[in-house]
Amino acid sequence: VMLLVPSAPTLKPKGEGTSSITTTSGSRLAELIKRGCIALVKTSYLEDCIYSNQPVMSRQRVPSMQLWSGDEAVRMWKKHGKCFFVAVSYPWLSRTHPDPDNFHLRVLVGILGEYKRLWGMREVAVFLDYASLWPRDSRSEDARAQFAEALGEMATIYAHKAVTTIQLTSVPECEPRSYEDRGWTLFESIMISSKSGDWNRWAISGFDDDVLVDDPYMFFDGLRPDVRLVPPMSPKRFAAELRARSLVAEERDCSLFADPRDAEAIHARYRDGLWHICRKTELSYCDAGWGDDEVQTLCEVLQDAGALEALHLSGNHIMSKGVSMLLKVLPKLGSLRSLVLADNPLCKDAGDCERLRLAWELNARPASGLVLS
């Protein structure tokens, strides 16, 4: 598989409307939903597929009554936010159909049932790529154009604060590649990891629908540690990671992407997502299990995050090397006023703490903003 290395990040996502990972009404994502470029599926349709033992159909074959109308979907999204709009990240299990035997769907329907109980929703809207996007090779020129427009907003769907993401990370025993061995799941994981808000991202490695869930709040609270956060990468590092995954796929006689054209398209979409990440005012990667290597990856991106005001990295495994990386990038973060590093090994190293305090003071940052305990 040929993977193209992007020459430089895109300065701004293209297209009409305002691409946003925080606003709903008036955003480009909302406009694409209104116009039908992106269809949101009703959970009742997914449940019907399970009851009838039929796989999810492609966008053009899903009955219109099982899709939210664009105007109604946007209205409900504005009213209920993350409680209403769910986007699913999952590994495709065949080239022609992402889930031919309903391996993922059985889990998803069970999770969505508890999700509706959690928020008291009778129905929610689901973005599931196969059922939500027109096929890339549709006979209709309009459908092909709408697919291209929707593809341009993929980063927003997974990074949006008001969209809940569900990552289905399990695969059947016969499947040679895991969730972590794919191209789009890497992209989606990075976008999900950098989103703002809380209770809006869940990772599911398995779900037994025969087990009775008494309290959906306790159920979802127990899933929180399963969300694996992936640091944002520079375009160069992202391309290198895709190359590494491609080699693994080839060794297993597989392709990195179900559609080879995605090997090129994914880079532009990643640059669009990185544009959003670098313009956030707050980033939080607490209790992510990160060490110095992940901090180095993050710092390569932070060089362009001039708007960042708060960075939360507590509860990780950051040591002296990570401290050096943060000190190197600190002068470039002119807006940074809060750096939270509590509960890291560096906090027990007097030398590392002193280096941080001195650099923080020399860069004229508020003393209370550096948190080491």
Side-chain angles (χ1 to χ4, degrees):
V1 179
M2 290 293 292
L3 297 174
L4 303 182
V5 180
S7 57
T10 302
L11 293 179
K12 185 177 182 180
K14 297 179 180 180
E16 297 178 1
T18 302
S19 186
S20 172
I21 56 174
T22 56
T23 61
T24 53
S25 297
S27 67
R28 176 150 176 77
L29 178 55
E31 290 303 315
L32 292 178
I33 294 170
K34 277 187 176 183
R35 290 169 44 210
C37 301
I38 295 172
L40 299 182
V41 181
K42 296 180 179 179
T43 52
S44 55
Y45 168 66
L46 304 178
E47 293 163 358
D48 287 347
C49 288
I50 290 296
Y51 295 148
S52 60
N53 197 29
Q54 296 292 325
V56 169
M57 291 185 285
S58 58
R59 164 72 185 272
Q60 68 271 31
R61 297 179 61 195
V62 178
S64 59
M65 67 180 64
Q66 302 284 20
L67 301 173
W68 287 88
S69 71
D71 288 337
E72 179 69 0
V74 171
R75 186 186 69 81
M76 290 288 286
W77 186 29
K78 179 182 179 181
K79 180 178 180 180
H80 298 287
K82 67 182 180 184
C83 305
F84 172 74
F85 192 163
V86 177
V88 185
S89 170
Y90 65 107
W92 276 45
L93 299 179
S94 81
R95 281 184 172 275
T96 56
H97 193 285
D99 191 25
D101 300 316
N102 285 346
F103 176 86
H104 292 310
L105 188 61
R106 281 190 289 271
V107 174
L108 179 61
V109 166
I111 294 297
L112 289 173
E114 299 306 324
Y115 184 81
K116 289 188 289 185
R117 288 180 61 204
L118 175 68
W119 299 118
M121 302 289 291
R122 295 183 60 185
E123 182 64 277
V124 297
V126 181
F127 172 82
L128 195 65
D129 56 1
Y130 188 67
S132 295
L133 303 177
W134 296 111
R136 182 184 248 130
D137 295 320
S138 296
R139 294 182 179 180
S140 164
E141 183 177 347
D142 288 343
R144 293 196 301 272
Q146 288 194 351
F147 169 83
E149 287 191 85
L151 189 64
E153 205 65 9
M154 283 301 99
T156 303
I157 290 177
Y158 291 99
H160 204 290
K161 179 180 180 179
V163 176
T164 290
T165 51
I166 294 178
Q167 294 169 270
L168 303 178
T169 60
S170 295
V171 295
E173 291 184 2
C174 60
E175 172 61 37
R177 291 184 299 147
S178 70
Y179 179 90
E180 288 78 15
D181 293 330
R182 317 297 179 108
W184 281 113
T185 56
L186 173 63
F187 165 86
E188 292 157 6
S189 294
I190 293 174
M191 297 302 116
I192 291 168
S193 296
S194 296
K195 68 193 299 172
S196 302
D198 198 9
W199 285 70
N200 60 359
R201 58 187 180 197
W202 311 102
I204 314 296
S205 58
F207 178 75
D208 186 352
D209 56 6
D210 291 329
V211 176
L212 180 65
V213 176
D214 293 326
D215 186 345
Y217 175 87
M218 295 298 295
F219 170 74
F220 280 99
D221 190 52
L223 292 177
R224 289 158 67 87
D226 291 336
V227 178
R228 177 179 176 269
L229 303 185
V230 181
M233 304 175 184
S234 67
K236 182 178 180 180
R237 187 181 286 271
F238 181 74
E241 176 62 24
L242 286 180
R243 282 197 296 270
R245 293 187 178 208
S246 179
L247 292 175
V248 171
E250 289 175 0
E251 289 174 357
R252 298 173 183 175
D253 198 26
C254 301
S255 298
L256 190 62
F257 298 97
D259 189 327
R261 288 169 290 187
D262 288 336
E264 179 177 354
I266 196 171
H267 291 292
R269 304 289 69 79
Y270 182 71
R271 291 195 298 270
D272 289 344
L274 195 59
W275 183 88
H276 283 294
I277 292 172
C278 287
R279 279 148 186 82
K280 289 174 66 91
T281 58
E282 182 176 2
L283 289 170
S284 181
Y285 305 104
C286 299
D287 302 308
W290 288 6
D292 292 341
D293 289 343
E294 287 81 6
V295 171
Q296 179 177 355
T297 299
L298 173 65
C299 286
E300 292 172 0
V301 169
L302 292 183
Q303 298 181 63
D304 297 316
L308 188 65
E309 298 175 4
L311 177 61
H312 302 272
L313 293 169
S314 62
N316 285 292
H317 307 298
I318 305 171
M319 297 191 289
S320 292
K321 180 183 174 182
V323 171
S324 297
M325 295 294 173
L326 290 168
L327 293 179
K328 185 177 180 180
V329 78
L330 180 59
K332 300 179 181 180
L333 300 175
S335 300
L336 191 68
R337 294 294 179 268
S338 176
L339 176 59
V340 181
L341 293 166
D343 298 322
N344 277 282
L346 68 89
C347 300
K348 298 180 180 180
D349 189 311
D352 285 338
C353 291
E354 184 60 26
R355 284 199 295 156
L356 282 163
R357 291 192 184 99
L358 180 59
W360 194 254
E361 181 180 351
L362 289 175
N363 282 274
R365 308 303 165 85
S368 61
L370 179 62
V371 180
L372 300 175
S373 62

